[in-house]
Amino acid sequence: MKNLLTVILLLVAPAAFSQVITTNPAFPTETGSVTITFYADRGTAGLKGFTGDVYAHTGVITDKSTSDTDWKYVKTNWGTNTPETKLTRTATDKYTLTISNPRTYYGVASGDKIKKLAFVFRSATSPWKEGKDTGGKDILQTIFEGDLNVIFNKPANASFVAKNSAVDVEAIAAIAGGSVDKIVLYVNGSLNTEVMNDTLKTSVTASADGKTVLMAVAHAGSGTDTAYTSFIVVPPVADSPVPAGIKPGINYYNDDPTKVTLALFAPKKDHVFVIGDFSNWEPDPAYFMNRYSVSADSVMWWVTITGLEAGKEYGFQYLVNGSLRIADPYTEKVLSPDDTWIPSVTYPNLKPYPTGKTNFPVSVFQTNEEEYEWQVTDFVKPKKEDLVIYELLLRDFIARHDYDTLIDSLAYLKRLGINAVQLMPIQEFEGNESWGYNPAFYFAPDKYYGTKNDLKRFIDECHKIGLAVIIDVVYNHSFGQSSMVRLYATGDYGPPSADNYWFNTVARHPYNVGYDMNHESVHTKYLLDRANKHWIQEYKVDGYRYDLSKGFTQVNSGDNVGLWGNYDQSRVDILKRMYDRVRDYDSEAYLILEHLGDNSEEKVLANHGFMLWGNMNKNFNEGTMGYHDQSKSDLSWAYYGTRTWTVPHVVTYMESHDEERLMYKNLQYGNSSGGYNIKTLATSIDRIKLAATFLFSIPGPKMIWQFGELGYDISIDFNGRVGNKPIKWEYLTDTNRRKLYDTFSELIRLKIEEPAFETNNVSLNVGGAMKRINLYHADMDVVVLGNFGVTTADINPNFSKTGWWYSFFTADSVEISNTTGNLSLAAGEYRIYTTKRLWTPKTFTSVDDKPGVAGSFELEQNYPNPFNPSTTIRFNLPVSGKVRLTVYDVTGREVAELINGDRPAGTNTVVWSARDRSGAPVSSGLYFYQLSGNGFNQTRKMMLIK
């Protein structure tokens, strides 16, 4: 290894000359001409060596900007090329752009003050090549005001230098319409050099460990201006054992809320500072980390920070080798420049990102943080075989995309009858609006959905009403903001370098995204074990859905999908080990794999205790569209017994976040015959009822994708596959869709409550247009029949015995004397027969079309919520009668009376257009609506956001 000081010199030598742009004059003003010189081989160097035309995407930061990313008066739309924004190439990787008057050039209003010019330089056409500042930041140039200004050209602030080396210092000053008298240089507060002109050039010996502060004071007449910079000599690294009980990450002390110990696993690094709010984001010897080296591949850096304010949030990073800034990999809260787009209603009082002081993600610690008080501490998880999971993406389920509002939707989910909610990834991911499969930090909930206590409260509320909570976790890969990617990488955001302890340099399997994890690494195992334990113990989640679990292998299948899908004993061993570690602290946690692999491998994993996704989307959709090729519409693989599994561990679904919506394809491609046309909405919805009848009747756990119970008919590719989708709560006002919801609800209840739907004595005949399921159980036998064709046809029900059978959907009874006598089913018709009389369902088949009536008073949650400009309120009455529905503000003042009179039994709806009694619009805020009548009184809350 090279001498440490030599390495530092090599890193620091170009620092003073590494500005991405320079200006002439050095002190540009709002109205003076300025020439920008852009060096394409600096910063991100995205245009290095480029020979085509280069244009500036440019705007200004004004006194009205909220941050350095809040551009104003942007010159052109991205990709628009104009002569005014075209740069002149003066040499290889060197370009100029002259702006004669910034105020005029950008068209800045007279009341706004320009603080900075902002640039991203780009190629003329797509695919775009971009030139940005180091770390992918916008390029910013300060605009100066006042008569006298002084700046340092050298050294760059917080430069690292070798001890006892000569550090070049250069400061320049200027004054409008006059001359500078002198510049005085102070080193750590002591006078060092004085020159009687506008340029100071000297050198300073770096004799002291730690930071040396330089101050330049320019004098012109009676006026002065001051500038600061600094350089740092790395102190000797202290080798010291890690204190007992300290783990990588943030370590708190129960008996002392004024200190923390921070620990970073980082072998093969030379030195590490902790920088943050406590050091003004600059390296300080007080926060220089100790080193504990067990071997070359086992090194822990640690430091104990004292004198902290209890309960205060502190932002911090690790500054590694003087240039790499990373957040703590185990942080439970991450700050990002993207946080400016998170509304305060979603995350109140969010600590701001330290813009202008650092870049890249920032970690947070907080001593003496107030603990959430759990209301439910003895939640009993539903049985695996009874699970009905509702998969949802917060962003596309409720407009405000936060846990607080999601809590208001739990009544809707409870009425549906599901017993588990599965949240798409909520661990800190890159950006804000995302499916979440681009993770960066595994211990922090993403702030776009609310605070950590909001998440805990949501889980608590789920447990109160019997709903388990499963979170989708992404352990196949990370993306470039991950500290573990960046710690050993070939660029600011990857790819990983060969010495990375967690990630492969090249993915070991097809369909990988991001950077592929090395699951055989002991360091990856440690990370994932801690993450699994963290969410169960800290958030009381009931289990995990592991995304892309077939990627948990080091067997290199390259682009060979077939090879990747073969039985892989090493992958089985990796997953079994992880499963066993989870069982050490939660013997009942649900562990669900998105494996979709070879059945022989899935069977081994199921026998070990895993549940596995069973994707039946294409088979069910062929049936709902009215096509019934024997193989394409065969539903038998939905049953674990068909797979020769001995345990009911296949989580079967018709839709997931990853599959096209059944209703969309029904309406686009549905079959028809005569007057029967699946492309009509009502018929298409009935086809979903038909499919759901078979889905829920086959024993084993099930999953629903959000709004599938209402016939969501927007394509998965709307607005791009992972783009925002319309939130369709208005579906509830459609009678046909409401009946679909009720059908799902009754089928789910049937599945969960009746033991016959757990039986392993099953006969399936589900390959053609006429499908049949026979269930045999000591409690009752079941026959499920369905016509997936588009014409009337007969089917043999194969009743198990003669005597009375009961038609579930129609509440009819029929005496069977011939167990194999054919029954005629209309196109799309479905039936369930049982040997035991059951309850009268709320909904009936489309053939009978008998509406149900609510069995009790119920005031439902309004939708949408939050809303603007109007919202729908629904309530159910068991009998007709007089009711009053009113709206109140937070002070208790009655704002509006929506109903005061008789209403019929059943479901009633009313729309409130956010207006008071006089018809005037009301302001944004929290409101309450109350239904009263016949001794009933219930109140719910709603949010208006304009």
Side-chain angles (χ1 to χ4, degrees):
M1 180 180 289
K2 292 181 181 179
N3 180 276
L4 172 60
L5 297 182
T6 303
V7 174
I8 293 173
L9 284 172
L10 290 173
L11 288 171
V12 173
F17 304 97
S18 60
Q19 295 97 328
V20 182
I21 62 172
T22 59
T23 64
N24 183 20
F27 304 96
T29 63
E30 280 192 329
T31 57
S33 178
V34 57
T35 296
I36 310 293
T37 299
F38 164 54
Y39 298 90
D41 55 348
R42 301 177 187 175
T44 58
L47 286 162
K48 182 179 180 180
F50 184 65
T51 57
D53 291 339
V54 173
Y55 287 83
H57 182 64
T58 182
V60 294
I61 308 300
T62 73
D63 56 346
K64 305 298 192 304
S65 298
T66 58
S67 70
D68 280 351
T69 60
D70 184 17
W71 290 23
K72 306 293 186 184
Y73 303 101
V74 179
K75 189 67 176 170
T76 64
N77 292 329
W78 181 265
T80 301
N81 302 325
T82 65
E84 285 185 309
T85 57
K86 184 177 181 181
L87 278 69
T88 300
R89 188 168 185 262
T90 60
T92 301
D93 294 331
K94 186 177 180 181
Y95 301 81
T96 62
L97 174 69
T98 298
I99 298 173
S100 58
N101 181 316
R103 294 197 69 88
T104 303
Y105 181 80
Y106 292 101
V108 178
S110 58
D112 293 354
K113 180 185 295 185
I114 302 177
K115 308 293 286 185
K116 298 176 184 179
L117 309 182
F119 300 94
V120 173
F121 300 107
R122 59 166 178 79
S123 57
T125 58
S126 177
W128 309 109
K129 293 182 178 293
E130 296 179 8
K132 303 183 79 174
D133 206 345
T134 302
K137 296 189 299 180
D138 299 338
I139 300 167
L140 301 175
Q141 171 59 50
T142 299
I143 291 296
F144 294 89
E145 57 180 319
D147 292 333
L148 178 62
N149 292 285
V150 61
I151 59 172
F152 277 103
N153 282 337
K154 301 177 186 179
N157 191 45
S159 298
F160 284 84
V161 300
K163 190 168 185 178
N164 297 322
S165 63
V167 180
D168 289 338
V169 179
E170 181 180 311
I172 60 173
I175 184 170
S179 60
V180 175
D181 296 332
K182 63 179 178 179
I183 302 176
V184 182
L185 175 67
Y186 297 86
V187 178
N188 287 335
S190 299
L191 178 64
N192 179 273
T193 306
E194 182 177 317
V195 295
M196 307 305 292
N197 53 53
D198 59 7
T199 301
L200 181 148
K201 292 184 178 181
T202 187
S203 64
V204 174
T205 301
S207 57
D209 292 338
K211 181 166 66 175
T212 296
V213 177
L214 309 180
M215 178 177 71
V217 181
H219 296 260
S222 61
T224 62
D225 190 45
T226 304
Y228 295 88
T229 191
S230 65
F231 60 81
I232 298 164
V233 173
V234 178
V237 175
D239 288 296
S240 178
V242 177
I246 297 301
K247 299 185 298 184
I250 305 165
N251 297 266
Y252 296 104
Y253 294 84
N254 293 331
D255 60 345
D256 188 350
T258 67
K259 71 176 183 178
V260 298
T261 294
L262 306 176
L264 175 69
F265 175 82
K268 302 176 182 176
K269 301 299 181 182
D270 297 319
H271 59 85
V272 185
F273 284 89
V274 179
I275 58 174
D277 294 333
F278 38 79
S279 71
N280 196 32
W281 293 97
E282 293 183 359
D284 187 317
Y287 308 108
F288 191 59
M289 301 190 82
N290 303 287
R291 177 176 58 198
Y292 178 52
S293 180
V294 177
S295 67
D297 290 313
S298 181
V299 177
M300 189 82 76
W301 300 87
W302 67 273
V303 66
T304 298
I305 300 176
T306 60
L308 300 169
E309 181 181 335
K312 178 180 177 179
E313 286 188 311
Y314 292 89
F316 76 99
Q317 292 172 316
Y318 299 112
L319 180 60
V320 181
N321 284 5
S323 59
L324 176 64
R325 296 176 181 230
I326 63 168
D328 190 297
Y330 296 91
T331 184
E332 296 181 34
K333 184 172 182 177
V334 181
L335 304 181
S336 165
D338 294 331
D339 293 349
T340 57
W341 303 106
I342 299 176
S344 60
V345 68
T346 299
Y347 200 115
N349 305 312
L350 175 59
K351 179 178 173 64
Y353 181 83
T355 301
K357 296 179 179 179
T358 191
N359 50 14
F360 302 104
V362 164
S363 40
V364 175
F365 66 72
Q366 181 182 12
T367 67
N368 209 34
E369 184 178 5
E370 183 177 355
E371 292 289 332
Y372 176 79
E373 293 186 13
W374 291 94
Q375 303 300 303
V376 179
T377 57
D378 56 354
F379 178 68
V380 178
K381 298 178 179 65
K383 294 187 298 184
K384 288 181 181 179
E385 55 267 37
D386 285 345
L387 270 185
V388 180
I389 301 167
Y390 194 91
E391 184 190 20
L392 67 86
L393 171 61
L394 253 163
R395 184 198 70 187
D396 291 346
F397 189 64
I398 47 178
R400 215 173 75 181
H401 58 76
D402 61 21
Y403 300 115
D404 190 48
T405 311
L406 187 57
I407 290 171
D408 291 338
S409 303
L410 288 179
Y412 170 88
L413 297 177
K414 183 63 176 177
R415 284 196 306 275
L416 180 61
I418 57 101
N419 53 19
V421 176
Q422 180 173 301
L423 300 176
M424 282 177 67
I426 59 172
Q427 293 167 323
E428 180 75 27
F429 47 78
E430 300 196 1
N432 287 323
E433 297 203 356
S434 170
W435 275 10
Y437 295 105
N438 51 340
F441 293 88
Y442 288 104
F443 298 81
D446 198 282
K447 303 181 299 300
Y448 192 65
Y449 298 145
T451 70
K452 62 186 293 185
N453 281 350
D454 288 341
L455 172 56
K456 291 179 178 181
R457 186 164 50 254
F458 166 73
I459 294 170
D460 219 3
E461 293 297 324
C462 284
H463 287 171
K464 284 181 183 179
I465 60 174
L467 301 185
V469 178
I470 299 165
I471 62 171
D472 197 341
V473 291
V474 188
Y475 293 163
N476 173 77
H477 56 269
S478 282
F479 275 68
Q481 287 186 6
S482 163
S483 295
M484 290 167 295
V485 170
R486 299 187 58 242
L487 195 52
Y488 301 92
T490 57
D492 284 336
Y493 296 100
S497 52
D499 56 350
N500 194 291
Y501 288 89
W502 301 273
F503 296 92
N504 296 311
T505 56
V506 177
R508 296 297 196 265
H509 61 88
Y511 300 121
N512 185 73
V513 293
Y515 300 124
D516 183 38
M517 277 190 169
N518 176 357
H519 285 83
E520 290 186 353
S521 164
V522 295
H523 308 290
T524 301
K525 293 175 183 177
Y526 175 81
L527 168 74
L528 299 187
D529 287 348
R530 273 190 64 175
N532 280 329
K533 188 174 184 179
H534 172 76
W535 291 91
I536 286 175
Q537 293 193 339
E538 180 69 20
Y539 290 89
K540 297 190 183 299
V541 302
D542 300 295
Y544 302 103
R545 179 263 189 188
Y546 294 109
D547 179 67
L548 198 56
S549 61
K550 197 162 62 179
F552 293 18
T553 179
Q554 283 299 101
V555 174
N556 194 345
S557 53
D559 294 327
N560 189 331
V561 177
L563 176 61
W564 182 40
N566 289 345
Y567 185 96
D568 180 345
Q569 186 61 50
S570 68
R571 179 167 55 209
V572 170
D573 293 342
I574 287 168
L575 287 165
K576 281 184 173 182
R577 188 212 65 81
M578 188 173 71
Y579 178 98
D580 294 343
R581 294 293 76 75
V582 174
R583 286 289 171 259
D584 289 341
Y585 44 84
D586 190 337
S587 60
E588 301 296 329
Y590 307 120
L591 301 179
I592 304 171
L593 304 178
E594 186 208 19
H595 213 63
L596 309 177
D598 182 85
N599 186 57
S600 63
E601 183 172 325
E602 291 201 339
K603 183 177 180 180
V604 170
L605 294 168
N607 286 339
H608 196 73
F610 281 107
M611 291 187 286
L612 297 99
W613 264 22
N615 182 1
M616 296 297 295
N617 173 262
K618 291 181 173 58
N619 305 70
F620 273 106
N621 215 170
E622 283 291 308
T624 61
M625 290 188 294
Y627 305 109
H628 40 83
D629 176 276
Q630 186 71 20
S631 60
K632 290 182 179 179
S633 68
D634 187 354
L635 305 181
S636 60
W637 207 243
Y639 177 51
Y640 71 95
T642 307
R643 301 170 180 237
T644 72
W645 297 9
T646 58
V647 287
H649 284 180
V650 57
V651 181
T652 308
Y653 57 88
M654 301 190 296
E655 294 176 319
S656 75
H657 69 270
D658 248 346
E659 307 298 335
E660 185 58 274
R661 315 305 172 216
L662 300 185
M663 276 289 289
Y664 173 76
K665 291 183 71 173
N666 285 359
L667 295 172
Q668 293 293 315
Y669 310 111
N671 201 358
S672 63
S673 177
Y676 185 85
N677 186 353
I678 295 174
K679 290 182 180 179
T680 62
L681 181 63
T683 303
S684 185
I685 287 174
D686 283 341
R687 301 294 292 198
I688 304 300
K689 296 178 188 176
L690 166 65
T693 300
F694 279 77
L695 172 72
F696 292 113
S697 295
I698 296 173
K702 301 291 180 273
M703 188 181 75
I704 307 167
W705 167 243
Q706 66 183 30
F707 297 130
E709 73 283 359
L710 293 173
Y712 193 80
D713 54 19
I714 308 297
S715 172
I716 192 173
D717 293 318
F718 176 89
N719 193 29
R721 185 176 181 84
V722 299
N724 295 58
K725 301 299 186 289
I727 300 171
K728 306 291 283 185
W729 285 106
E730 64 268 25
Y731 279 166
L732 280 168
T733 62
D734 184 291
T735 301
N736 286 322
R737 294 184 187 274
R738 179 70 185 209
K739 287 183 179 180
L740 176 59
Y741 172 94
D742 289 339
T743 301
F744 268 67
S745 177
E746 295 292 355
L747 289 167
I748 292 169
R749 179 183 175 188
L750 198 62
K751 171 191 168 37
I752 292 175
E753 292 187 5
E754 292 302 318
F757 292 88
E758 297 177 6
T759 183
N760 60 4
N761 192 354
V762 179
S763 173
L764 298 180
N765 187 352
V766 290
M770 306 303 291
K771 301 185 191 297
R772 184 187 72 223
I773 300 171
N774 295 94
L775 306 177
Y776 309 98
H777 190 270
D779 183 62
M780 71 176 183
D781 291 348
V782 182
V783 174
V784 182
L785 306 174
N787 181 356
F788 284 79
V790 292
T791 59
T792 299
D794 293 341
I795 187 170
N796 173 8
N798 196 27
F799 289 113
S800 59
K801 61 184 74 173
T802 59
W804 288 101
W805 286 74
Y806 303 93
S807 177
F808 176 67
F809 286 111
T810 61
D812 293 333
S813 57
V814 58
E815 187 173 12
I816 300 298
S817 57
N818 180 1
T819 59
T820 59
N822 283 345
L823 297 178
S824 179
L825 269 65
E829 187 177 356
Y830 51 93
R831 300 180 187 177
I832 295 178
Y833 291 101
T834 63
T835 55
K836 182 176 74 174
R837 185 183 295 276
L838 302 173
W839 63 88
T840 301
K842 289 183 292 185
T843 187
F844 298 81
T845 65
S846 58
V847 175
D848 295 302
D849 200 28
K850 300 174 183 177
V853 176
S856 62
F857 285 103
E858 185 174 19
L859 178 62
E860 300 185 9
Q861 186 62 50
N862 68 306
Y863 56 89
N865 184 33
F867 69 95
N868 179 27
S870 65
T871 187
T872 298
I873 298 170
R874 180 187 295 271
F875 59 91
N876 297 307
L877 301 178
V879 294
S880 61
K882 184 175 181 179
V883 294
R884 186 167 185 259
L885 181 63
T886 49
V887 178
Y888 298 88
D889 63 18
V890 291
T891 68
R893 181 179 64 89
E894 185 177 305
V895 174
E897 183 179 67
L898 305 182
I899 295 176
N900 190 353
D902 290 332
R903 283 295 182 269
T907 300
N908 291 261
T909 60
V910 63
V911 175
W912 185 45
S913 299
R915 293 180 179 274
D916 64 17
R917 285 178 174 274
S918 69
V922 299
S923 59
S924 297
L926 179 67
Y927 292 88
F928 299 90
Y929 56 104
Q930 183 180 80
L931 178 69
S932 58
N934 198 25
F936 170 80
N937 189 295
Q938 188 172 1
T939 303
R940 290 190 179 275
K941 64 181 180 179
M942 57 183 168
M943 179 70 72
L944 170 63
I945 299 178
K946 293 185 176 180

